[in-house]
Amino acid sequence: MTSPVPEANARRGAALLVGMSIAEAVRRDELLRTAASHRASIAFLQQADPSLSAELTRLADAGTETVVVIGVRLTASGPAQSWLRRIAAHWWRERAGHRPELLVATRLAASPDEVAAVAATTKAVTGKEPGLTSAAWEDVTGHRHQVLVCRGPRCAARGAEEGLRALVQKLTEQGLGDDDVLVTQTGCQFPCNQAPVVSVQPDDVWYGGVDPAVADRIVTEHLAGGRPVESNRLPRHRKEQTGHHG
């Protein structure tokens, strides 16, 4: 395969593949294999190490002059490409000392086979990109429910992505946005034998075996209709609080 940073480049360059979502953190080995085939290193936008900022710091400290940053999103959900550029630019503005030129791919690679093609079209970071704050992100949303979708190793292996996709699609069909239902992907929620696992707060309702059909019912019956789906509901035994606070 062709490296995103040609060896003939007179400047000392590096390629960096960035996993955009928790899905890439779960599939770390696949991302590592893809990076190795392109003589690149890896980082993650969220949920795993090294972070994008930490890996850019390592490359800069090593004297790298140019870094080609390629976002990789192997599933349908996850942050948009704009977040990759926003985080990279924040690091570039805050960096003290040597700052390499950052060239960020203008679209995301949806598979390992797309990496070289995606890396062919980049845009340099200027430092004038939007920052990490916005008036729109000041307050906690007014959501009635928060749905926590487990993306731990076993849930991922048993089809958590398919359930998540069905959940989001049904929420859209029902006209339920972030101010109604906030969907959050998480690491392991622990009842792994029941994978894929989904929990709904503040109702304290936990579900197991959440395939697309069950996800559809969770939206229509529980989130829209107010009735938990008993067929897939997991027993929940709350530990009583002990001790007293003075």
Side-chain angles (χ1 to χ4, degrees):
M1 290 186 181
T2 303
S3 170
V5 181
E7 293 184 61
N9 193 331
R11 295 171 296 181
R12 187 178 180 194
L16 175 58
L17 304 189
V18 182
M20 298 293 290
S21 72
I22 193 172
E24 289 73 55
V26 171
R27 296 163 67 175
R28 183 189 192 97
D29 288 346
E30 184 176 354
L31 193 64
L32 279 168
R33 288 193 297 271
T34 302
S37 70
H38 291 285
R39 300 187 293 280
S41 60
I42 68 169
F44 297 91
L45 204 63
Q46 56 181 319
Q47 301 287 343
D49 294 321
S51 68
L52 173 56
S53 295
E55 183 60 10
L56 287 174
T57 296
R58 186 188 72 81
L59 292 170
D61 288 348
T64 307
E65 295 184 14
T66 304
V67 181
V68 178
V69 182
I70 306 116
V72 179
R73 195 174 67 195
L74 301 175
T75 59
S77 59
Q81 187 276 345
S82 59
W83 273 106
L84 180 64
R85 186 173 186 81
R86 187 186 292 263
I87 300 299
H90 173 76
W91 174 87
W92 196 86
R93 285 192 296 266
E94 297 293 315
R95 167 72 177 177
H98 169 64
R99 293 187 301 182
E101 179 183 26
L102 297 185
L103 303 175
V104 180
T106 57
R107 64 185 179 92
L108 301 177
S111 73
D113 292 340
E114 290 187 6
V115 168
V118 168
T121 305
T122 62
K123 184 177 180 182
V125 165
T126 65
K128 297 180 180 180
E129 291 78 6
L132 300 186
T133 60
S134 165
W137 305 330
E138 184 68 21
D139 301 317
V140 177
T141 72
H143 58 275
R144 296 190 306 274
H145 291 100
Q146 184 169 18
V147 178
L148 306 177
V149 179
C150 180
R151 297 300 299 274
R154 276 166 280 199
C155 286
R158 291 185 175 179
E161 171 66 20
E162 290 77 7
L164 172 64
R165 189 180 298 114
L167 182 80
V168 172
Q169 180 177 340
K170 196 63 179 182
L171 286 170
T172 301
E173 292 175 3
Q174 293 281 334
L176 299 175
D178 287 348
D179 282 339
D180 302 295
V181 179
L182 182 63
V183 178
T184 304
Q185 300 179 59
T186 76
C188 181
Q189 294 188 39
F190 288 104
C192 304
N193 292 344
Q194 312 296 336
V197 172
V198 168
S199 57
V200 179
Q201 303 299 339
D203 297 358
D204 200 14
V205 172
W206 293 60
Y207 293 109
V210 181
D211 60 15
V214 174
D216 188 288
R217 292 184 61 196
I218 290 172
V219 174
T220 56
E221 297 176 27
H222 185 171
L223 301 175
R227 301 180 307 278
V229 180
E230 295 299 334
S231 61
N232 289 76
R233 187 172 182 177
L234 301 177
R236 170 80 161 103
H237 306 291
R238 293 175 62 93
K239 183 177 181 180
E240 295 297 326
Q241 183 174 352
T242 59
H244 300 281
H245 299 282

